[in-house]
Each structure stands twice: as structure tokens, then as C-alpha cells.
Amino acid sequence: MAGPGQTGRSGRPTLAVVGATGAVGTVMLQILSQRADIWGEIRLVASPRSAGRKLAVRGEETEVLALTEEVFDGVDVALFDVPDEIAERWAPLAVAKGAVVVDNSGTFRMAPDVPLVVPEVNPHAVRMRPRGIVANPSCTTLSMIVALGALHAEFGLRELVASSYQAVSGAGRAGVATLREQLALVAGTELGTSPGDVRRAVGDRTGPFPEPVALNVVPWAGSAREDGWSSQELKVRDETRKILCLPGLPVAVTCVRVPVITTHSLTVHARFEGE
């Protein structure tokens, strides 16, 4: 596969996947392999410690490149699947090199000059990107917004109450590793039958969660924010308002972490005009 600065597949845009070795990046490579006829060159980019690894994409073994400014030379679109602080630093540099950035972090979602786009709901918004960056919502918002957007277009949404039951993969590889470690600890024991016994057995090995997730549900996801809300709950509220262009929409959200590896679930109670 061509390296930076070389011509990719004729007539097709060059794509950079930044964070290719992460949890989301791994899924992205699977999707790209299912749609192999869209892109020309695909550059896989990650931290210097992952540089040189080989990953499969479109049936080809492709070497991972270290994240540098030069890696964006000639790139048309850069997909960022990295922590917020990495996106904040590197996305503008990719734009300066001429790329359109599609960012999966929370860094730019609520910036007024960055569109928050879900193609099935507001595809027109992608054309207005003064900073050269397009954001996409969190996975919890994304799980409901396509259906909610269609209903809003037809009936006019006026109030939303939602609860999310979020898999540990929402906390990345660390979340998945924590659940697997805790499941191994409790397997074959009587833990989970007495109040606090799992907590005592796990000790401080809770990973990115405030409490054990094995044999448990944790009524908290994210970090503390104003008025007693968690960051995950405010994400769902604020992202829904922005995508649907309803800045004053009354929204109440409760986010709960559940002991499954992947797939979030939600309950959604929506009220529409005329109800």
C-alpha cells in the first residue's frame, strides 16, 4: 500500500484512520473492508508505540504509521477515533494539511462552528464546516437519534425522557478488560449473594468505573457535572438538542452501566406536538 505523499487508488479519495488500533478503530477497519470500493489509499495511524504493527484492511496487511503532521500529507478525509486531548491537538493540524476531519471524540461536538452530523437525520449540516471538522454524537445518542429524528420530522418532538443501559465497551478497552477481570474473580464463587461482597472482593480494581460492574448495575456513567447530572447524561441531552435544532427541548436522561461487553440499550419516552 502506498505511503504518505504517494498516489492511492486512481480517482478515489485518500483516507486516514487515526486511532486504528483502538476499540472503535478496530470496528472501523471491519466496516472499511466491507466497503472496499470507496477509498483509494487508506492510512492507518496510531501512537508511536503502535507504529509498525500490521493490521488487515480490505484483505491487505497494512502497516500502522505513527501520528505526525506529515502523515496527513495528501489526505482527503481523516477519521479520528482517539481520546479528546489527542483530537483537540491533532484534528486542526490535519485540517491545516487539507483534510476534512470526522471526529468521534467529544472535543468538538458542542462547538457552535462544528456541525454535529447523523447522515440519516441532518446530512445537510455537513456542508457547513468552517473549521474543516465534522463531529458525530456519542454512541448513546446515536442509538436513538435516527428513530427519534424521523418521528420529530413527522410529528414535532416537544419532550424527551430516556434511560440508557450502557455496555462496558463505552469506556473503551479498559472497560472491557475490567469486566473480564472481575468476571474471572467471581466465577465459581458465591459472591453476589450478600450486600457488598463483590465490592470487598474487587477492592480498588474497578478500572474506569466507580463500582464493580460484574454481577452489578451501576447507576452512573461518566463524570460528575453540574446539578447532579453525569457527563454521559448531559451528552445525550445536549447532542439531541443540537442535532434536531431544538435548543430548548426539555430532556431528562438517566445513564446506567450494565455488565455486558457491547451494545447499549435505551428506553425512550417522547412526547410530540398535539399530545
Side-chain angles (χ1 to χ4, degrees):
M1 179 165 290
Q6 301 177 25
T7 302
R9 300 187 181 192
S10 178
R12 293 175 179 168
T14 296
L15 174 71
V17 180
V18 185
T21 58
V24 176
T26 299
V27 176
M28 182 61 65
L29 298 190
Q30 296 171 359
I31 295 172
L32 290 171
S33 297
Q34 295 166 3
R35 295 164 173 81
D37 62 339
I38 295 175
W39 302 100
E41 180 190 354
I42 296 178
R43 297 180 196 168
L44 308 185
V45 184
S47 64
R49 68 177 178 273
S50 296
R53 287 180 57 184
K54 296 290 185 68
L55 298 176
V57 59
R58 298 187 301 193
E60 303 175 10
E61 289 292 314
T62 305
E63 184 174 331
V64 175
L65 306 174
L67 179 56
T68 64
E69 290 188 43
E70 291 72 26
V71 84
F72 297 109
D73 289 340
V75 169
D76 297 292
V77 178
L79 300 180
F80 274 68
D81 297 309
V82 295
D84 291 4
E85 62 274 14
I86 303 298
E88 183 177 14
R89 176 186 175 188
W90 287 95
L93 293 174
V95 172
K97 288 284 188 174
V100 173
V101 169
V102 180
D103 182 46
N104 190 45
S105 79
T107 304
F108 304 102
R109 287 173 183 155
M110 300 314 300
D113 52 357
V114 174
L116 184 62
V117 178
V118 177
E120 298 86 349
V121 180
N122 61 339
H124 56 280
V126 77
R127 300 184 182 278
M128 298 296 293
R129 45 177 196 275
R131 294 173 64 179
I133 300 171
V134 178
N136 64 270
S138 64
C139 47
T140 309
T141 303
L142 195 56
S143 297
M144 70 173 181
I145 200 66
V146 174
L148 199 61
L151 290 168
H152 169 59
E154 186 71 22
F155 304 110
L157 180 66
R158 65 184 182 91
E159 184 179 286
L160 177 67
V161 178
S163 297
S164 71
Y165 304 90
Q166 300 182 207
V168 296
S169 59
R173 291 188 183 275
V176 174
T178 297
L179 177 57
R180 292 194 186 280
E181 178 185 356
Q182 292 178 5
L183 289 175
L185 179 67
V186 302
T189 73
E190 295 298 317
L191 290 171
T193 57
S194 299
D197 58 0
V198 175
R199 187 68 177 87
R200 288 189 292 273
V202 169
D204 60 359
R205 292 173 294 179
T206 58
F209 311 116
E211 296 293 337
V213 287
L215 306 182
N216 197 17
V217 293
V218 182
W220 186 262
S223 54
R225 292 293 187 266
E226 65 270 17
D227 299 325
W229 299 102
S230 75
S231 58
Q232 287 288 333
E233 291 162 348
L234 292 186
K235 281 181 186 179
V236 176
R237 184 195 71 183
D238 296 342
E239 292 167 11
T240 299
R241 288 173 172 175
K242 185 174 181 178
I243 293 166
L244 299 181
C245 297
L246 295 171
L249 179 70
V251 180
V253 184
T254 301
C255 292
V256 180
R257 191 74 69 180
V258 294
V260 298
I261 299 296
T262 62
T263 306
H264 301 338
S265 300
L266 295 97
T267 63
V268 179
H269 180 85
R271 300 189 68 182
F272 298 90
E273 300 297 338
E275 289 189 65

